[in-house]
Amino acid sequence: MKAGTAGQPASRGINRRHREGKSLPSINQEGLRNHNLSVVLQALLSSENPLSRADLADITGLTKATISMQTAILQKNRLLEDLQTPVRRVSSDKISSGKISSGEASSGKISRGKISPVKKMGRPSVPLGFAPASWAGLGAQINTDGYGFLLLDFTGQVLAQEWESHPMVNIDPQTACRKVETLIQPTLSRFKRRHCRIVPGGLALPGLVADGHHLLMARNLGWEQVDLNNYPLVSQLRLYGANEANLAAIAQVPGYATHMEAETYQNPNSFIYISTDIGIGGAYVRQGQISRGNHGFAGELGHVSVNFKGPVCLCGRRGCVEMYAGRRALVEAAGIAQGQAAVQPQALDELLDRWHQGDPQARKAMRLAIRALNSVIASAMNVVDVDTAMVGGFWSRIDDSVMEEMTVDVADQVLGSSGMSVTVMKPPVNDHPALRGAAELGLRRVIDNPLQYLD
């Protein structure tokens, strides 16, 4: 007899827990099917090579019958399709030697990393792949310099993208949301006529957002305490409000919600992301997951103070790094423009031109900004123990040689640098990354909870 609690039989321990009102974990057939579908989709996302049904059974630990049933459901719903080029069977040694363990597969916790099956001889099998342009994640963004949207499919193909460059500072939320909705609707109608399933993703905003709809503040837009559910962009299109830096960081994660291309396998899946614009935002990614904190507000690196006697920030603190390395602050410090004129795109272009030409005031402003950014990056690395920082936004226009110099300076300030490879780099995805991350958020909903979206 198997022992239970305090030497009792296990069945008695179970009965006592029932009497005490403590429920046991359980899963019904629908929950199990949802779990298995998610495991299959995640395995395909994370694979460097095409996978056959037999490969999926080896990698996930699911039976061949289960794999056959789940892939049939996914093909019927046009998520997957048979690829034309047969592949050789792959070794099940991958389960014990690679990124995915059999325990991870059975639990559904397949890491967002590289699956590189070891090939062996055998009958060629028909591989599966994501069907292009059948499903699309919808992402949108309202930023200080404009607004737009993006449609993205599971293959990583951008199906549609539009961006309107226009100063959005002090434009009220209702007007801004209406502009985005008006921009999106014609494209949504066109793709629905093509029977493309649109999954709502994120609405990227430069501020703090709680619960996907309550914007606490976006001070560079001039917004405070906004209920996003008041606007059809969120209440009807079902977009999920989120911090733009978090969404931009998602776009850098290999295999988050789109199939990884071969060249993306070298990208880190743990890093600090710094978003630079008028304001400066940040995100911390650990093992492919955004670390949001208890309230979803983690990563606000722009409001780390680097000088207690520095200029007053919009947040009310003194010496925030945003006041040295933000776009408006840099343009003003270089003596190019002030106020609203300092946020115009041509003002930034002039700043970079003067800096490259050796203008003393521009060089001084840039040196101070680099020192401030390096200090914050090093402090963040010391706190969260990560060795890579990606600097996106307008700072990605800086020369590669400057990033290399920043890497050296940051490494000198990181306590554990002798045991890690400190790197400051430009993001792999830097063309409106928050838009792409917002679209990936929608696709990820399908990966995590397939039955909610399948017929």
Side-chain angles (χ1 to χ4, degrees):
M1 183 180 293
K2 191 174 180 178
T5 305
Q8 296 179 358
S11 60
R12 291 186 183 178
I14 292 172
N15 289 335
R16 188 176 70 245
R17 287 194 291 273
H18 277 294
R19 289 196 302 272
E20 293 171 353
K22 296 179 179 178
S23 62
L24 295 172
S26 62
I27 186 168
N28 58 28
Q29 286 299 313
E30 184 171 306
L32 183 60
R33 188 180 302 114
N34 193 55
H35 166 90
N36 290 341
L37 287 166
S38 181
V39 168
V40 169
L41 289 171
Q42 182 60 60
L44 288 166
L45 272 185
S46 304
S47 176
E48 181 178 5
N49 299 313
L51 299 176
S52 67
R53 291 163 181 79
D55 297 332
L56 284 168
D58 283 345
I59 289 170
T60 64
L62 298 173
T63 67
K64 292 181 180 179
T66 299
I67 290 293
S68 180
M69 183 184 303
Q70 307 312 314
T71 54
I73 292 171
L74 295 170
Q75 285 188 294
K76 178 183 176 182
N77 282 271
R78 299 186 303 120
L79 248 88
L80 301 182
E81 64 179 10
D82 288 330
L83 302 180
Q84 297 301 313
T85 305
V87 293
R88 295 285 180 182
R89 280 294 321 281
V90 297
S91 171
S92 58
D93 294 343
K94 174 59 200 155
I95 293 177
S96 59
S97 65
K99 292 288 185 182
I100 292 183
S101 68
S102 57
E104 286 177 322
S106 62
S107 68
K109 296 179 180 177
I110 297 179
S111 61
R112 291 174 194 146
K114 176 180 180 180
I115 302 177
S116 184
V118 180
K119 294 183 179 179
K120 67 179 183 182
M121 299 303 294
R123 181 190 303 176
S125 301
V126 178
L128 287 162
F130 285 97
S134 295
W135 290 68
L138 170 64
Q141 182 176 13
I142 300 172
N143 202 28
T144 56
D145 61 348
Y147 58 94
F149 74 92
L150 183 145
L151 283 178
L152 183 74
D153 73 9
F154 281 109
T155 70
Q157 178 185 1
V158 175
L159 303 180
Q161 180 177 356
E162 290 190 45
W163 182 264
E164 293 287 335
S165 295
H166 187 278
M168 300 297 287
V169 178
N170 295 323
I171 291 181
D172 66 271
Q174 182 175 5
T175 301
C177 288
R178 188 169 60 247
K179 285 177 178 290
V180 178
E181 185 188 5
T182 301
L183 190 67
I184 289 173
Q185 286 293 359
T187 299
L188 285 188
S189 299
R190 186 169 73 253
F191 275 86
K192 286 178 180 178
R193 287 194 298 271
R194 299 177 185 175
H195 305 289
C196 178
R197 300 197 194 185
I198 309 296
V199 186
L203 170 61
L205 296 165
L208 301 181
V209 187
D211 302 322
H213 65 87
H214 180 203
L215 176 73
L216 273 69
M217 64 184 73
R219 285 177 176 157
N220 286 313
L221 287 176
W223 297 1
E224 300 269 352
Q225 300 298 332
V226 177
D227 184 354
L228 298 171
N229 279 331
N230 289 332
Y231 312 113
L233 185 64
V234 172
S235 63
Q236 295 179 17
L237 294 185
R238 313 304 300 173
L239 292 178
Y240 185 89
N243 177 265
E244 60 86 22
N246 283 343
L247 294 177
I250 282 175
Q252 317 306 327
V253 177
Y256 181 84
T258 59
H259 187 257
M260 291 190 287
E261 299 295 335
E263 59 268 18
T264 66
Y265 279 89
Q266 303 306 315
N267 295 347
N269 65 354
S270 294
F271 55 88
I272 297 162
Y273 183 86
I274 297 178
S275 171
T276 62
D277 190 60
I278 293 175
I280 289 181
Y284 170 42
V285 176
R286 179 174 175 79
Q287 297 301 315
Q289 299 278 358
I290 297 286
S291 295
R292 303 179 187 276
N294 288 345
H295 306 93
F297 306 150
E300 284 296 321
L301 297 178
H303 297 287
V304 174
S305 177
V306 294
N307 182 357
F308 292 155
K309 296 182 179 180
V312 177
C313 179
L314 284 175
C315 75
R317 305 184 72 202
R318 284 190 174 272
C320 292
V321 67
E322 184 174 301
M323 301 306 295
Y324 297 94
R327 181 158 58 96
R328 185 197 331 243
L330 265 171
V331 167
E332 290 182 344
I336 294 168
Q338 298 293 317
Q340 288 301 109
V343 302
Q344 300 301 317
Q346 57 269 28
L348 176 62
D349 294 339
E350 186 173 348
L351 166 70
L352 297 177
D353 288 343
R354 289 190 187 185
W355 178 48
H356 288 132
Q357 293 165 9
D359 177 80
Q361 195 168 352
R363 292 186 64 185
K364 179 180 178 181
M366 288 298 298
R367 278 199 305 270
L368 190 56
I370 290 169
R371 286 181 57 196
L373 266 183
N374 288 351
S375 176
V376 168
I377 292 170
S379 296
M381 287 183 172
N382 283 328
V383 170
V384 300
D385 185 26
V386 68
D387 56 14
T388 300
M390 298 183 186
V391 185
F394 78 89
W395 272 83
S396 63
R397 296 174 60 181
I398 303 302
D399 298 341
D400 289 340
S401 60
V402 176
M403 291 289 175
E404 293 169 4
E405 293 170 5
M406 291 175 69
T407 294
V408 173
D409 189 25
V410 168
D412 286 343
Q413 301 177 59
V414 174
L415 293 177
S417 60
S418 61
M420 53 201 289
S421 180
V422 173
T423 304
V424 179
M425 61 181 286
K426 298 177 182 179
V429 177
N430 204 41
D431 180 18
H432 295 293
L435 269 184
R436 186 181 179 95
E440 288 202 47
L441 194 64
L443 295 176
R444 188 70 213 179
R445 288 175 169 177
V446 181
I447 301 296
D448 291 336
N449 193 10
L451 284 184
Q452 182 177 340
Y453 300 94
L454 302 183
D455 294 335

